[in-house]
Amino acid sequence: MSFNTALSFVFASLMVFALNAENEKFSFGFGVLTGVLPTLSLLKYAGLLTLPVDDLLFDTTSSGGFMAANTAVGLFVAAVTGVLRSLMGDKPWVSATIAALGLAILGLGLTGLATYGVNIMASYMWVALTGMALHTAMNFVVLGLAIGLASRGLQTTVPNQRKEIFVTSAVVLVAVFITCGIWRHLLESDRQNTVDGVHHELSFIQELISVEFENLQEALERMADRQAARDVITAEGWQADAEKYAADFQQIPGIGLVDTDYKIIGVAPFKELQPAMGVGPNFNPDRTEAMYEAVLRGSSVLTKPFVLSTGRQSIVLFSPIIRDTEFRGLIAASIELKPMITAWLREDFVNFSVEIWDEDATILSIPSQFETAPSFADQREISVLNRTWSLRMVPDKGFVRAEVQTLSQAVLPMGMIVTLLLAIAINRSMAVSHQNDLLKITTHDLQNREARLEYMAQERELVISNTSEALIYLDRHKNVRLANDAAARLLKTERCLLVGRHFSALPFFYAQSKSKPTIDQLIEFGRIEDIELHPANYGDHPLSLSLSATPIASDSGREEGYVIVFYDITDRRHLEQSQIALLESLERSNEELTQFAHICSHDLQEPFRMIGAFSELLETHLNSQGQDDEQTTLYLKFLTDASDRGMCLIRDILDYSRVEHGSDQLTLVDSRVVVHEIFANFRGTSERKLELTQEDLPSVPFSRVQLMQLFQNLIGNAIKYAKAEGPIRVHVRCRDQGDVWRFEVQDNGIGIAEKNLSKIFEIFKRLHRRDQIPGTGIGLAICRKIVERHGGTISVESTFGEGSTFYFTLPKQGEHTA
């Protein structure tokens, strides 16, 4: 607190004592002294005075203290109260005015307390103008209350003034607390809306970047595939394709063709990128590393940002051109992010600051043209192909201010005004009504009791009438005393005609025996659903009902009545019957489909066998006739391979469909023996060195055929996807995990990229072309179906280039025969 502020508060305190003592001379003098320094400070803030007010009485250079504008306003208003009383006397309107000014000072102090320590959102509101130090706000609260009480405008005329003042103060504090709570909640909501807005825009940009780069990668790889299909790759033949690609993707300023020596032999557009011709692997280490990685992985790779030969900084996407396993060059595309990001930013977010960087290299930086709000910045990492980028967005202050609701701006001052008016109203109303309290209490009590009884009667009628369930109330003699509209509608009668009838006279019957249910039976069973309703005017179509009874007992335990609730379950009965018929129909359809699948699989294999057999006969015939040209032999080989793949695909599909139709009766299978047999089969047929090992494996409740099929596929895949050189290692082990066995099949093969781990168990999903590694893409889908059918789960962990480990769990307990 500055020296001027502290001195003015001292004078204000003395002025309050003078007001309370009704000493007009002292109140005037101390009022003037209170207002001198605040008035000078306000003139300085208005630019009408150049006098160093803060250093007028005390050198504040070292402490830096000064009187804030809102503090000066509060002290000036306090000074007005002392001058007004001394000049106008003790008139009623003067007392009311001074009380109102005291409450205004109180409101300023309460506002200062309410704004103390609020969240960052408040700094973008008018609160920035009213915030003050905590001790200053507390002084204003005390000063405002003291002025209001000294004015006599807040005091009552009844004997117990202390009680009235206490109640008024308590109400004010509660109202202030509620107002502050609501305001803080609204501020937090506005802050969260702002954070969510930035977060959603960041997510939107992130998604667009991911989708855009997937499209770029897909289009570039299609170009690479087209070039790979050519016998000879030339810059002239590539140029037209590249020009069309550059025209389709405006965010790509240039495309280059790289030969097998990693030199650029073609560019598009040629005129702009001519300096890049002939650039080799020594141009930039990051560029060279990305090219080597693209060739090694056989897929597209993105570089770090670097300066191109044209002098512009960019990132480059390399896609290898590979024909079979032969490396034939690369296609390189430089990518500009700024036009994309600028176009993607939506209207409310165009003034955001956007920055993207890769490790320590900046890819994109779009500064905001306006002042930003770093407190609401959002940042995240995104995966773009083989790179991990950091994306950061900082909103501008205009966006943050726009998120502040009008209600958030108005709730605090309006709440304070309402609080002050409420304090005055409560104080005066308590003074006027105190003499009639006893009479009002008595009258109010009688009125409440009468209203309560009437309300309870109406409430009971409303509840009973509007309850959707049919309801009947019986007295202890089992006669109907009350029924709702639903019960009357269901029984096809009027409510008044039901009253007085005995429960046994109602048309409820057991569906099987046609006898009537009793109250005792309903209470004993809790609910009976085997009930039919046979009113006289329902004809031959009875309704199916569910009946329940609840006894109503007195304090002594005697049953005074019963509540009967019944539901119409006719539609549910019809639905259950329809479901049973539908299930029977589905079972018949499944059996027919199974037979159809077996017949189709056999009949579909026959054409493929014929194609393969006659292809071989045709090749033999051509050879015997001396017509064995290479092109014809190649075409016949294609026919034979296609026939073999077709038959293999049909067999795998048939195996996949047979998984669900295996025997449900499991046997205790020794998995160690099964794995040993599979190892022996592979050792006898493999031309490469196999190191197949296993640990102690348990016996599990399983179908032996399907367990053989499961291990055959997993171990066969490990051998099929082995590295080109070195021994093939496969290790099988099992771990005890309580209720389940956890099997592991580990290999040292080529591994699986992380982005493909979630796809490999889907049917027909393959990660390699058939001319690289044969297969149908059904084997792992069969494995998953077998494991899940036996109540287990299957998963995989893999490191690309190092190997994979497949895990599957099997329950220890199962229905089996030893």
Side-chain angles (χ1 to χ4, degrees):
M1 183 182 294
S2 69
F3 177 79
N4 290 356
T5 302
L7 183 60
S8 298
F9 270 121
V10 171
F11 288 143
S13 301
L14 295 174
M15 182 198 69
V16 171
F17 280 111
L19 285 175
N20 197 52
E22 300 183 1
N23 191 319
E24 296 180 358
K25 292 182 180 181
F26 280 100
S27 63
F28 178 82
F30 287 123
V32 171
L33 292 175
T34 301
V36 171
L37 294 175
T39 302
L40 294 176
S41 297
L42 291 175
L43 291 174
K44 178 183 176 183
Y45 282 116
L48 303 176
L49 185 67
T50 59
L51 185 68
V53 178
D54 297 315
D55 299 329
L56 187 62
L57 300 176
F58 188 82
D59 185 8
T60 61
T61 304
S62 60
S63 61
F66 62 92
M67 183 182 296
N70 51 3
T71 303
V73 171
L75 290 172
F76 178 79
V77 172
V80 169
T81 61
V83 174
L84 184 64
R85 169 55 64 85
S86 60
L87 293 179
M88 296 299 174
D90 192 12
K91 298 178 181 179
W93 70 269
V94 173
S95 297
T97 302
I98 294 176
L101 293 176
L103 292 175
I105 296 172
L106 172 64
L108 178 62
L110 292 174
T111 303
L113 289 176
T115 59
Y116 186 75
V118 296
N119 64 42
I120 191 66
M121 203 70 186
S123 62
Y124 299 90
M125 299 169 51
W126 59 266
V127 173
L129 302 176
T130 61
M132 62 179 66
L134 179 62
H135 48 273
T136 303
M138 294 178 64
N139 281 336
F140 273 125
V141 171
V142 175
L143 180 61
L145 284 174
I147 291 175
L149 294 176
S151 68
R152 306 292 191 271
L154 289 181
Q155 294 186 14
T156 60
T157 57
V158 296
N160 194 5
Q161 292 183 4
R162 187 174 299 174
K163 176 182 177 182
E164 312 304 334
I165 295 173
F166 173 79
V167 172
T168 303
S169 301
V171 171
V172 168
L173 291 176
V174 171
V176 168
F177 178 79
I178 294 174
T179 300
C180 293
I182 295 174
W183 183 61
R184 287 171 180 267
H185 174 74
L186 292 174
L187 281 184
E188 181 60 28
S189 177
D190 292 342
R191 187 195 68 79
Q192 189 60 45
N193 289 339
T194 304
V195 172
D196 291 343
V198 177
H199 178 78
H200 291 159
E201 182 65 10
L202 189 67
S203 300
F204 174 71
I205 295 297
Q206 176 188 357
E207 181 66 23
L208 288 178
I209 289 175
S210 299
V211 173
E212 185 67 18
F213 272 89
E214 287 179 2
N215 293 337
L216 292 175
Q217 177 191 7
E218 183 179 351
L220 206 63
E221 288 180 350
R222 285 200 301 268
M223 180 187 290
D225 290 340
R226 289 195 296 273
Q227 297 302 317
R230 295 182 176 181
D231 294 331
V232 179
I233 300 176
T234 63
E236 293 77 11
W238 167 84
Q239 192 74 29
D241 197 10
E243 293 286 354
K244 181 180 179 182
Y245 184 85
D248 291 340
F249 293 90
Q250 300 298 324
Q251 64 273 37
I252 297 182
I255 308 174
L257 178 64
V258 181
D259 62 11
T260 55
D261 293 329
Y262 302 100
K263 290 183 179 181
I264 296 178
I265 62 173
V267 292
F270 184 81
K271 183 177 180 181
E272 298 178 10
L273 299 178
Q274 189 174 1
M277 291 292 292
V279 170
N282 297 327
F283 176 74
N284 180 275
D286 292 332
R287 172 181 176 273
T288 304
E289 180 184 351
M291 288 193 295
Y292 290 162
E293 184 180 354
V295 174
L296 179 63
R297 294 174 57 173
S299 61
S300 299
V301 170
L302 194 64
T303 68
K304 293 182 180 178
F306 66 92
V307 178
L308 304 177
S309 59
T310 58
R312 299 173 62 180
Q313 177 172 297
S314 180
I315 55 177
V316 178
L317 181 63
F318 287 104
S319 288
I321 303 174
I322 298 175
R323 183 172 182 176
D324 296 332
T325 59
E326 177 189 0
F327 169 61
R328 308 188 68 190
L330 298 106
I331 295 181
S334 61
I335 300 172
E336 293 290 342
L337 286 179
K338 187 172 182 178
M340 292 190 295
I341 301 299
T342 304
W344 289 341
L345 287 173
R346 292 174 287 186
E347 181 179 357
D348 293 341
F349 309 93
V350 293
N351 296 322
F352 278 29
S353 170
V354 182
E355 185 177 3
I356 302 176
W357 66 93
D358 185 343
E359 296 179 355
D360 56 348
T362 300
I363 300 174
L364 172 69
S365 179
I366 305 177
S368 175
Q369 299 178 357
F370 301 91
E371 188 177 359
T372 58
S375 302
F376 295 94
D378 196 0
Q379 176 179 330
R380 69 178 60 182
E381 291 188 349
I382 59 175
S383 296
V384 182
L385 302 183
N386 58 304
R387 308 300 303 173
T388 299
W389 292 353
S390 296
L391 173 62
R392 187 171 189 262
M393 298 185 72
V394 184
D396 61 294
K397 286 190 175 181
F399 174 82
V400 178
R401 292 191 183 98
E403 292 297 321
V404 179
Q405 303 178 54
T406 304
L407 183 60
S408 302
Q409 297 275 13
V411 68
L412 187 60
M414 294 302 297
M416 292 301 174
I417 293 173
V418 171
T419 299
L420 297 178
L421 295 176
L422 180 64
I424 296 173
I426 290 177
N427 185 271
R428 301 310 302 168
S429 64
M430 290 180 68
V432 173
S433 63
H434 186 77
Q435 298 176 354
N436 300 317
D437 282 344
L438 293 177
L439 178 61
K440 286 185 177 181
I441 290 174
T442 303
T443 304
H444 186 67
D445 183 59
L446 292 175
Q447 290 175 347
N448 278 345
R449 292 192 179 195
E450 182 180 355
R452 182 63 179 170
L453 291 174
E454 183 178 356
Y455 175 77
M456 290 176 63
Q458 294 176 353
E459 185 181 52
R460 186 189 67 176
E461 180 64 23
L462 285 173
V463 170
I464 294 175
S465 299
N466 293 286
T467 301
S468 59
E469 292 82 5
L471 184 146
I472 293 176
Y473 173 69
L474 309 177
D475 60 18
R476 57 193 179 92
H477 300 295
K478 302 180 181 59
N479 295 318
V480 178
R481 296 294 302 274
L482 186 66
N484 66 352
D485 293 335
R489 285 193 301 270
L490 206 57
L491 294 171
K492 297 288 186 178
T493 185
E494 300 292 335
R495 292 176 60 181
C496 58
L497 298 179
L498 284 174
V499 177
R501 297 178 64 181
H502 195 270
F503 177 74
S504 60
L506 298 177
F508 299 137
F509 301 92
Y510 283 112
Q512 303 299 326
S513 62
K514 304 303 180 184
S515 61
K516 289 181 174 291
T518 64
I519 296 296
D520 295 336
Q521 291 173 332
L522 292 177
I523 295 175
E524 179 183 357
F525 295 110
R527 181 184 297 275
I528 300 178
E529 298 193 352
D530 188 25
I531 299 295
E532 288 186 350
L533 179 63
H534 289 272
N537 52 356
Y538 262 71
D540 297 330
H541 302 285
L543 298 181
S544 297
L545 299 181
S546 170
L547 259 67
S548 65
T550 303
I552 306 298
S554 62
D555 295 338
S556 61
R558 179 182 176 184
E559 293 183 354
E560 298 293 340
Y562 309 91
V563 176
I564 309 298
V565 180
F566 49 101
Y567 309 87
D568 183 357
I569 60 172
T570 305
D571 292 339
R572 193 181 79 186
R573 291 294 193 196
H574 292 165
L575 182 60
E576 290 174 353
Q577 294 172 1
S578 299
Q579 288 177 339
I580 293 172
L582 179 60
L583 288 175
E584 293 175 352
S585 176
L586 287 175
E587 289 178 0
R588 290 193 300 270
S589 297
N590 284 337
E591 292 177 359
E592 293 172 357
L593 285 173
T594 301
Q595 296 174 2
F596 180 74
H598 284 282
I599 294 172
C600 284
S601 64
H602 180 272
D603 293 344
L604 285 174
Q605 289 185 66
E606 185 60 27
F608 285 113
R609 292 194 194 99
M610 296 293 292
I611 291 172
F614 279 100
S615 296
E616 293 176 357
L617 290 174
L618 181 57
E619 182 178 5
T620 302
H621 175 72
L622 291 175
N623 290 337
S624 65
Q625 297 296 322
Q627 301 177 9
D628 55 344
D629 63 285
E630 293 183 0
Q631 196 68 24
T632 302
T633 303
L634 179 62
Y635 290 159
L636 289 174
K637 184 177 183 303
F638 286 162
L639 282 174
T640 304
D641 291 344
S643 172
D644 292 340
R645 287 200 307 272
M647 293 180 65
C648 183
L649 181 61
I650 292 172
R651 285 195 299 270
D652 285 350
I653 293 174
L654 184 58
D655 289 341
Y656 185 79
S657 66
R658 284 172 176 169
V659 172
E660 289 294 341
H661 299 285
S663 174
D664 291 332
Q665 191 70 22
L666 307 180
T667 60
L668 199 61
V669 181
D670 190 342
S671 59
R672 178 181 56 82
V673 175
V674 171
V675 172
H676 180 75
E677 293 178 3
I678 294 173
F679 280 174
N681 292 337
F682 280 116
R683 287 193 183 97
T685 57
S686 176
E687 298 178 357
R688 294 183 57 184
K689 180 181 179 181
L690 300 180
E691 296 181 4
L692 309 177
T693 58
Q694 68 180 65
E695 298 179 7
D696 289 338
L697 302 178
S699 295
V700 293
F702 217 87
S703 166
R704 178 177 175 82
V705 174
Q706 292 188 352
L707 188 62
M708 288 282 292
Q709 191 176 14
L710 174 60
F711 278 111
Q712 181 85 14
N713 283 339
L714 293 178
I715 298 172
N717 274 359
I719 297 173
K720 182 192 300 183
Y721 293 95
K723 296 177 181 177
E725 298 178 353
I728 301 175
R729 296 188 180 93
V730 181
H731 183 67
V732 181
R733 59 176 171 266
C734 182
R735 302 182 187 279
D736 189 343
Q737 293 190 335
D739 294 336
V740 298
W741 296 110
R742 185 171 185 259
F743 287 85
E744 302 176 9
V745 180
Q746 183 179 19
D747 63 62
N748 65 336
I750 61 176
I752 306 167
E754 184 177 357
K755 66 179 181 180
N756 297 321
L757 291 178
S758 60
K759 304 176 182 178
I760 61 173
F761 292 106
E762 299 178 14
I763 191 169
F764 301 126
K765 287 292 184 181
R766 289 182 45 81
L767 307 181
H768 302 81
R769 296 197 302 270
R770 289 188 177 88
D771 57 353
Q772 294 177 340
I773 299 177
T776 61
I778 302 179
L780 288 179
I782 292 176
C783 291
R784 182 176 69 176
K785 198 168 185 180
I786 290 174
V787 171
E788 291 178 352
R789 182 174 182 267
H790 287 80
T793 60
I794 187 168
S795 60
V796 63
E797 292 179 359
S798 182
T799 302
F800 188 75
E802 296 182 9
S804 306
T805 303
F806 284 83
Y807 305 92
F808 64 91
T809 61
L810 295 176
K812 292 183 178 180
Q813 301 296 328
E815 296 293 333
H816 62 85
T817 57

